[in-house]
Amino acid sequence: MLTSLPFRLKGLFSHIWAPISAYAFLGLLAAVIAVALRDLIPSSWAFRIGADAIDGLLNIIASSMLAVTTFSVSIMVTAFAAASDTATPRAFLLLKTDRTAQRVLASFIGAFIFSLVGIISLKIGIYGEGGRVILFAATILVLVLIIFNLVRWIGHLTDFGRLGDTMKRVEDAAADAMSRRLETPWLGANPMHRDTPPEGTVPLRSDAVGHVQFINLGSLNTCAAEAGCNIYIDVLPGEFIYDGSVLAHVLNGPVGEDYDTLLGQIRDCFEIGMDRSFDQDPRFGMITLSEIASRALSPAVNDPGTAIDVVRRMTRVLSLWQDRSVADVEFPHLWIRGLQSDEMLRDAFAALSRDGAALYEVQVSVQNALLALVRLNPSIFAKGAVAQSGRAMSFARKAMLIADDIARLEAITQDIRATAALPAPGSPLTQT
């Protein structure tokens, strides 16, 4: 679970200018160190290295890095467009924050800045003989870094932005969000199993429109502890809210102006924006994978194989979900709902079942995936799997023409219903 500072730092360093600035600073620092340490180099070392030799290397680096950087930026833009066209525009968020692309591009720009500073410093003669030795050693290290990153970049470009690479990125992001959420199913708060908060609570309404990107539970619990109240959170990360939506319900606490101040502090703990984030939102990963499958099933693309691949990837992510009956409460003054498997399964399979209604190979993969999930853990997936299986069959009966295909799908649906009726081993039929 992310707290406020790591969440903000992660968002800050996900921008491409962060590694570029870091490498540019290192390039400037290397040039400055060469000036600062010039008097420590023995004169016997310096006479062998002339200014012309270093100047030639730096000129080569400066001219080549400018061209390589321009080429790399064009490749990245092309990859972004390809991912948006072949997969889904939501995948652009993952490509934009690709660490390899950011670091390689940043190293090229840092080397370019280093070479410019070195050329200028040599021309005005601030290095001296000792400084030239240090500058030469730094230049060799920069050349090694450039060669390493060029080889790395070439290997990375073979897959960067392609459909398979994009699907893997989305799957990894969804699996990571799911794993981190399963470590703290209720985000460290008390589990709220019922749909309505206790009587006597006061609703706290939103004054913004957008998706809940992040909930600062640490600050929220501190506010509740200081005010002597309990907070029942009504939204989860990823949900879309509008002006007037209920964010939370507050039980007890101060009255008058102090209470209005408390409500303002609580409202500030909810980060709201128009873009969804993968960090605390496993459902977003399911929706993004489902969009990739829906695009593959469109008449213009007609690629059921990709849709089947997406079904398998979603099944792999959902298979991470295991029942956890004991809450690890870190914030005792907060209550929150857990993830609901029926919502997750709806995000994953609802659109896919509709768009692939007439394709037996797609429908059978969906039904088999639902059957596998129910067999894996009936206590978690029974309700949602039965609902999505029945919905998919409703589409299939209307779209398919071959009775034998429908009969085979009906048989799998019956297996799902029969398996879902089994009691969960060692626990009641509850949702995490």
Side-chain angles (χ1 to χ4, degrees):
M1 181 190 62
L2 295 174
T3 57
S4 180
L5 181 59
F7 173 76
R8 295 181 184 278
L9 289 177
K10 184 176 182 180
L12 179 66
F13 288 113
S14 65
H15 296 287
I16 194 170
W17 57 261
I20 288 176
S21 301
Y23 274 89
F25 174 76
L26 291 176
L28 290 172
L29 183 63
V32 172
I33 290 176
V35 177
L37 301 180
R38 60 186 177 182
D39 296 332
L40 301 179
I41 303 300
S43 58
S44 59
W45 295 6
F47 76 95
R48 299 175 181 172
I49 301 175
D52 293 338
I54 305 175
D55 186 64
L57 287 175
L58 293 176
N59 277 291
I60 292 173
I61 294 174
S63 59
S64 60
M65 286 302 99
L66 184 60
V68 169
T69 301
T70 304
F71 172 75
S72 299
V73 171
S74 66
I75 289 294
M76 290 178 62
V77 173
T78 303
F80 295 161
S84 297
D85 292 339
T86 60
T88 171
R90 259 58 63 189
F92 167 75
L93 299 173
L94 297 174
L95 291 177
K96 186 178 68 172
T97 57
D98 179 68
R99 295 299 184 190
T100 300
Q102 288 185 349
R103 289 169 183 168
V104 168
L105 188 61
S107 67
F108 293 160
I109 296 178
F112 175 71
I113 293 175
F114 166 79
S115 61
L116 287 182
V117 174
I119 291 171
I120 294 172
S121 301
L122 283 174
K123 295 299 183 183
I124 62 178
I126 65 173
Y127 279 122
E129 294 182 349
R132 287 203 307 269
V133 175
I134 299 176
L135 182 63
F136 181 78
T139 303
I140 297 301
L141 290 177
V142 169
L143 284 173
V144 172
L145 176 65
I146 291 172
I147 294 172
F148 172 79
N149 281 324
L150 276 174
V151 175
R152 185 184 184 189
W153 185 226
I154 291 171
H156 193 65
L157 288 179
T158 57
D159 295 321
F160 188 59
R162 298 184 183 274
L163 182 58
D165 175 63
T166 303
M167 288 194 296
K168 184 179 184 303
R169 291 174 187 273
V170 178
E171 180 191 358
D172 291 343
D176 182 60
M178 177 71 79
S179 299
R180 284 190 282 108
R181 185 61 183 272
L182 292 176
E183 291 176 359
T184 54
W186 295 277
L187 299 177
N190 295 284
M192 186 168 66
H193 294 297
R194 55 184 178 180
D195 295 333
T196 58
E199 295 183 0
T201 59
V202 177
L204 170 66
R205 300 188 181 276
S206 170
D207 57 359
V209 178
H211 292 280
V212 178
Q213 296 178 333
F214 176 73
I215 303 176
N216 190 348
L217 295 170
S219 297
L220 203 59
N221 186 73
T222 300
C223 292
E226 293 176 351
C229 66
N230 293 322
I231 300 174
Y232 295 82
I233 302 171
D234 201 56
V235 295
L236 292 175
E239 293 186 8
F240 184 79
I241 61 173
Y242 51 87
D243 190 6
S245 298
V246 177
L247 295 175
H249 292 82
V250 183
L251 181 64
N252 300 324
V255 295
E257 295 182 359
D258 292 339
Y259 196 76
D260 294 335
T261 301
L262 173 64
L263 294 183
Q265 293 174 344
I266 295 174
R267 190 178 288 110
D268 291 339
C269 294
F270 292 84
E271 297 277 351
I272 299 172
M274 290 308 298
D275 296 325
R276 295 184 74 168
S277 169
F278 289 95
D279 291 328
Q280 284 189 337
D281 187 7
R283 293 182 61 185
F284 187 40
M286 292 292 101
I287 292 172
T288 305
L289 284 171
S290 178
E291 288 178 349
I292 296 174
S294 293
R295 175 163 292 190
L297 292 172
S298 65
V301 179
N302 192 22
D303 183 14
T306 294
I308 295 171
D309 188 17
V310 169
V311 171
R312 293 167 180 167
R313 291 177 184 273
M314 291 191 295
T315 305
R316 188 157 51 208
V317 174
L318 291 169
S319 298
L320 299 173
W321 198 340
Q322 299 295 326
D323 195 8
R324 182 168 179 171
S325 57
V326 179
D328 185 10
V329 179
E330 184 179 353
F331 308 113
H333 294 276
L334 306 181
W335 274 257
I336 195 170
R337 291 181 286 113
L339 287 175
Q340 300 295 314
S341 65
D342 54 344
E343 295 178 349
M344 290 284 290
L345 292 176
R346 183 172 62 249
D347 293 335
F349 298 111
L352 181 60
S353 301
R354 178 199 63 212
D355 297 332
L359 300 175
Y360 170 77
E361 61 270 26
V362 174
Q363 288 288 352
V364 75
S365 67
V366 170
Q367 296 291 350
N368 283 329
L370 293 172
L371 178 59
L373 291 173
V374 174
R375 287 174 174 172
L376 176 67
N377 201 325
S379 67
I380 295 176
F381 296 110
K383 178 182 175 183
V386 170
Q388 291 307 312
S389 176
R391 187 176 185 274
M393 278 307 307
S394 298
F395 285 118
R397 293 188 193 101
K398 294 181 180 180
M400 286 187 181
L401 302 177
I402 301 177
D404 288 343
D405 290 346
I406 297 176
R408 284 192 288 268
L409 292 176
E410 292 279 9
I412 302 175
T413 301
Q414 294 301 322
D415 288 343
I416 293 174
R417 293 182 179 276
T419 307
L422 295 176
S427 63
L429 187 63
T430 57
Q431 299 291 331
T432 300

